[in-house]
Amino acid sequence: LNVWAKEATKVQRLHMLRYEDMRAEPHASLKALLAFMDVSATQAQIDGAVEYSSYDNMKQMESKAQFKLSGGRMMPGDKDNPDSYKVRRAKVGGYRDYFSDAEVAAIDARLAETLDPMFGYP
């Protein structure tokens, strides 16, 4: 990521789209992305796209094998293991659930020390 940040000044146009922002404000995030790409869309189209790509809908589509034509990439490895689904929990900061408090603190400290501030993480 830091390589991208270093090269960002060489890019004429750049749009930062963070997962946290999409989760917090999906309509506004999509609208800003479409504007950046110079794609016009009605509010109804934006609403439809947000609804289609919602966590609940994506989870339902994956569980019904709607993506089977993707060669299995979008299929759960083990239907009995919720972590094998590509659409898992849609939780910002979900990595914290997989590590101890000490490990989370170490990860967060490492990111604070090394990740370029361009990405907007403390």
Side-chain angles (χ1 to χ4, degrees):
L1 291 174
N2 285 342
V3 171
W4 290 359
K6 182 179 176 186
E7 298 297 317
T9 59
K10 300 174 186 172
V11 177
Q12 280 185 336
R13 295 180 64 219
L14 178 71
H15 181 78
M16 178 73 64
L17 180 61
R18 300 176 338 142
Y19 180 74
E20 294 85 350
D21 301 330
M22 290 189 310
R23 290 294 297 152
E25 298 184 65
H27 294 85
S29 295
L30 179 56
K31 190 173 184 176
L33 176 63
L34 292 172
F36 171 77
M37 297 187 311
D38 199 24
V39 173
S40 61
T42 66
Q43 189 60 49
Q45 290 169 323
I46 291 171
D47 292 345
V50 169
E51 178 60 30
Y52 180 81
S53 62
S54 71
Y55 167 76
D56 291 333
N57 192 48
M58 295 299 289
K59 185 77 169 180
Q60 181 180 17
M61 288 190 299
E62 185 178 358
S63 67
K64 290 182 177 180
Q66 192 159 338
F67 303 116
K68 64 184 171 191
L69 296 178
S70 69
R73 291 185 305 269
M74 289 298 294
M75 305 275 292
D78 176 359
K79 289 187 178 193
D80 294 327
N81 179 356
D83 285 336
S84 74
Y85 284 78
K86 305 305 176 274
V87 180
R88 290 185 294 275
R89 295 178 296 147
K91 180 179 177 183
V92 171
Y95 72 95
R96 291 178 172 94
D97 296 342
Y98 297 93
F99 297 100
S100 69
D101 290 344
E103 290 168 327
V104 168
I107 291 167
D108 290 346
R110 175 84 170 155
L111 289 175
E113 293 168 7
T114 61
L115 185 62
D116 193 289
M118 169 187 151
F119 298 104
Y121 296 103

